[in-house]
Structures are given as C-alpha cells and as structure tokens.
Amino acid sequence: MKARRLTGKVTPAVPVGRRDHPDDIDQRALLAAIVDSSDDAIVSKTLEGRILSWNRGATRIFGYEPGEVIGKPITIIIPPELHAEEQQILDKLRRGERIDHFDTVRVAKDGRRIAISLTVSPVRAADGTVIAASKVARDVSERKLAEQRLQQSEEALRLADRRKDEFLALLAHELRNPLAPIRYALAANSKPGRTPEQLRQAEEIIERQVTHMSRLLDDLLDISRITRGTLELKKTRTELTSIIGAAIETARPMLEAKHHNLMLDLPTQPVQLEADVVRLAQVFSNLLINAAKYTDPGGQIQLRAHQQPGAVVVSVIDNGIGVSAAAAACVHHVLPVTRGARARRRRTGCRSVAGEGPRRAPRRKRTGPERGHRPGKRVHRDAPDRSAAADVPRC
C-alpha cells in the first residue's frame, strides 16, 4: 500500500467501503455554503499554526484573499507582541481545550488593527485525535469603540460631579465671609451716638458685601459653570487700593476679634488694574482671614504691595504658626471638612483657608497695570512652624 501524502486539507473521516449518501453530500455542501457566506471570519489551521482554509468573511475583515494566506502561518494577521498569545492558544488546542469569546487584536492587510472576539475549537479525527483547529473571529471594533465612548462619558460625568462638589464647597465657604462685615456694620450702627457719616459708612459696607454675596449666588445658580468648575471673571478698570480696602473690610472682624496689628506697605502712586474686583478682594481677604485665624492674639500681620515691570505683587505676611513643608505641598487642594479630613489635617499639618469648608488657597494672580489676572498663590516658610508669607504674584 502506498503512503498517502499529507496535503494539509482536513476532511471528515468516512468508514472504508461506505459510499457517501446523497443526503450527506447535500449536508456538506450546505455547511460549506454557510461557512463561506458567514460575516464572521472562519479559518482552519494546523496545530503548527498554518492556515488551511479561509472564508469570505475572513477576506472581508482582514483583506487577504484565500490564495494569499492558505499555507502561511496564522501569525500573518497577529501583531508581533501577541505571538506568545497564539502559542498559548495552540498549546490549549493540543490538549483538546476550547477557547470561547476571547477578545484580542488582529492586523489587517492594510496594517489596521482590528478588535476581534475569537472562538477557537479543536478539530478531531474519527478516533478523537486533535488534528487541526477551527477559528471564528468576529469584528467587535464598533462595540469596543462604543465601550470606550461610554467609559469616557462616565469619566466625564465623574469629573463634572467632582468639580460640582468642589465648586459648591468653595462657594459655600466664600458665602460665609461677607456675613462677618455685615454683622460688624449692623452691630456698630446699633450703638448710641453714631454720627450720620458713621451710619453712611456702615450702610456702604453692608451694600458692598450684599453685592459680593449676590455675585457669588449668581455663580451658584449658573449650572454650566458648576459642571465646568470655573468662575467667570468680570474685569473692570479699578485701582489697587480699593480692592485691598474691600479685602480688609471683609477681614476686619477677625482681625479685631484677635487684636491683631495690621500693617500696610502700599505703593505711593495709584496703581490702575484691569481686574475682577470681587475675585481679587476674595483672594486678599482669604489670605488676611487665614493669617488672622492662625496667628496668636495680638499678632503682627503685614500686607505689602510692590510694582514690578507690568505687574504688581501683593504679599500677606504673619508671625503665626506658619506652614510646614508637608502642608505647603497640599495648600492648593480642596478638602471638605469631615471627620476624616480633620484627621488628615492633624497628621499633615494641612489647614483650611479661613478654617472652614474647602482647603483651597487662592491661586496665583496676575495683577498687572493694563492687564488682567489669573488665579494662584505662593507660600514661603521662614522657619519650622513659625511665620509664613503668602504672595499673589504675576504668573
């Protein structure tokens, strides 16, 4: 008997001496037609990884015609970094194992990388020996793209939610600051013997602070800014001392309550700015209130302003407990006041601005003549746990 040459073609085992029944031939033809017309790539290969058959679905997905790939290694469509993955699949097939719905990547003829879901089954001879493998690959690029978009959308929603929480926490904190000067002015007006000029000044304080609160409430009601976590700057032509005066007015109740000595070192000539008066006043008042809160009663607080080419640097310096190196690293973070947040502050030395609400220090400001400004802050520590200076410089 002559030995038959291995052609690489897989055919079902048929008992010797038995002729194919016409119904069997029809079934095979139907099965071949189904395989060939499938939208999925249906490929068979040897246990060494050489391609035996290639249907039209495989041509549609990968771009190769059957004559271009049959007899070649299956690695022709596998990215180089995934060749080890293919070897693992072949090892499982030799053990008779099946791989179901395995998501991976393959390479098309034109170099495109295609996300596919792969099912690989062992092909057995009549005696049960595994002699080849059948692979069904489905293009899942659209599904993967949809999953990626969904994930990006979820991340965007989480980011918007986090920004909203930070934004609302910041506004809730800032809304408290104007209340102190309003109470201060009302208490002063209730004292007997007030002159008309003193009454007028108190009314002006209340009016300015109510305007400030109204601006903050407008921010609170602007949903688009909440989701973006941004504040709108309304820049006007103004003078530096008027902004500093508004900040001192807000911080005065805290400064007087702790009997601090506030010293001013300001330019002798008027400094004109194109700036958002409310936002800058918030920055400076937060620095003053923070300095007052963390300086022992009767402390020294200094507010300096000096001009540089095209900019003005405003500094708040105190002789309080200062800012440790650990706290300086987290001074720009937002930290809601919760039991866990307080514990973290005790461990790290991080403190909240004005002692309540989010621990967000004002960011660096550009406060140049003829220019706008941007948020930010720089903190200096003169000695461990003693005295600190906070600058609001040009970026």
Side-chain angles (χ1 to χ4, degrees):
M1 178 184 293
K2 283 187 177 182
R4 289 187 297 171
R5 184 170 59 88
L6 179 64
T7 62
K9 183 177 180 182
V10 178
T11 56
V14 179
V16 178
R18 174 181 169 183
R19 293 185 178 181
D20 288 334
H21 190 277
D23 288 345
D24 294 336
I25 297 174
D26 290 343
Q27 287 293 330
R28 291 179 194 171
L30 177 62
L31 180 60
I34 292 172
V35 168
D36 197 46
S37 62
S38 172
D39 285 339
D40 295 336
I42 302 178
V43 178
S44 63
K45 63 182 180 182
T46 68
L47 294 181
E48 288 71 38
R50 291 198 173 271
I51 299 171
L52 298 174
S53 64
W54 186 270
N55 75 335
R56 281 189 291 181
T59 298
R60 182 184 63 81
I61 294 174
F62 301 114
Y64 291 101
E65 295 294 335
E68 295 179 279
V69 293
I70 289 179
K72 293 185 178 180
I74 193 68
T75 51
I76 194 172
I77 60 169
I78 299 176
E81 68 273 15
L82 296 182
H83 284 187
E85 174 188 283
E86 174 64 13
Q87 189 58 51
Q88 292 172 2
I89 291 174
L90 291 173
D91 291 342
K92 288 184 177 181
L93 288 168
R94 292 187 187 100
R95 296 195 297 267
E97 298 179 25
R98 174 186 170 94
I99 294 94
D100 278 321
H101 305 298
F102 174 64
D103 285 356
T104 186
V105 176
R106 293 294 180 258
V107 180
K109 184 179 180 180
D110 59 8
R112 289 180 300 110
R113 295 205 167 202
I114 303 169
I116 65 165
S117 177
L118 188 64
T119 297
V120 189
S121 305
V123 176
R124 300 178 184 274
D127 60 359
T129 305
V130 177
I131 58 173
S134 171
K135 302 176 69 169
V136 179
R138 173 163 296 179
D139 186 348
V140 292
S141 300
E142 291 186 5
R143 189 195 80 192
K144 290 292 185 181
L145 183 60
E147 290 175 354
Q148 183 180 2
R149 287 173 177 167
L150 179 61
Q151 183 179 3
Q152 291 172 347
S153 177
E154 290 174 349
E155 290 175 356
L157 287 173
R158 283 195 293 269
L159 176 61
D161 189 58
R162 186 171 70 250
R163 284 178 173 173
K164 177 201 67 177
D165 291 343
E166 293 176 356
F167 190 90
L168 293 179
L170 181 62
L171 282 179
H173 166 59
E174 296 295 343
L175 279 170
R176 282 192 292 267
N177 284 347
L179 292 176
I182 290 174
R183 292 194 190 100
Y184 182 84
L186 290 172
N189 270 359
S190 65
K191 295 178 181 178
R194 299 284 287 176
T195 66
E197 177 64 18
Q198 289 173 325
L199 292 172
R200 184 186 63 78
Q201 290 176 352
E203 289 173 357
E204 289 176 352
I205 289 174
I206 293 171
E207 184 177 354
R208 279 193 297 269
Q209 296 302 323
V210 168
T211 301
H212 186 174
M213 292 184 71
S214 177
R215 170 80 178 279
L216 292 172
L217 286 170
D218 287 341
D219 286 334
L220 180 62
L221 295 174
D222 190 331
I223 301 301
S224 64
R225 284 205 295 268
I226 290 175
T227 55
R228 294 195 307 270
T230 59
L231 296 172
E232 180 183 0
L233 293 181
K234 297 178 180 178
K235 294 186 286 187
T236 58
R237 189 75 172 175
T238 188
E239 207 272 321
L240 177 63
T241 55
S242 66
I243 299 174
I244 291 176
I248 293 173
E249 178 182 286
T250 302
R252 188 179 301 280
M254 174 69 75
L255 293 167
E256 293 190 356
K258 298 193 71 174
H259 308 288
H260 292 315
N261 180 26
L262 175 64
M263 297 172 289
L264 301 179
D265 182 5
L266 305 177
T268 56
Q269 298 297 322
V271 178
Q272 296 294 321
L273 303 174
E274 188 75 22
D276 187 318
V277 177
V278 171
R279 298 297 176 217
L280 279 182
Q282 277 181 272
V283 171
F284 300 150
S285 64
N286 271 330
L287 292 176
L288 288 169
I289 291 171
N290 214 34
K293 185 175 183 65
Y294 294 104
T295 299
D296 291 337
Q300 302 293 321
I301 298 174
Q302 185 176 26
L303 190 152
R304 294 176 182 171
H306 66 274
Q307 286 187 273
Q308 293 180 350
V312 176
V313 175
V314 176
S315 304
V316 174
I317 305 166
D318 65 70
N319 65 340
I321 63 175
V323 181
S324 67
C330 57
V331 73
H332 293 288
H333 299 169
V334 172
L335 183 62
V337 175
T338 61
R339 183 177 300 175
R342 291 191 180 99
R344 284 192 294 274
R345 286 211 301 270
R346 285 195 296 270
R347 290 195 304 270
T348 64
C350 293
R351 306 186 312 232
S352 67
V353 173
E356 298 289 345
R359 181 175 32 77
R360 168 168 287 177
R363 292 188 172 186
R364 183 167 297 182
K365 291 282 180 184
R366 174 176 299 195
T367 54
E370 311 294 336
R371 333 182 57 143
H373 59 275
R374 278 188 277 169
K377 178 183 171 187
R378 187 168 58 220
V379 175
H380 309 286
R381 187 166 56 93
D382 295 335
D385 298 326
R386 295 301 304 168
S387 80
D391 289 353
V392 185
R394 174 185 175 183
C395 294

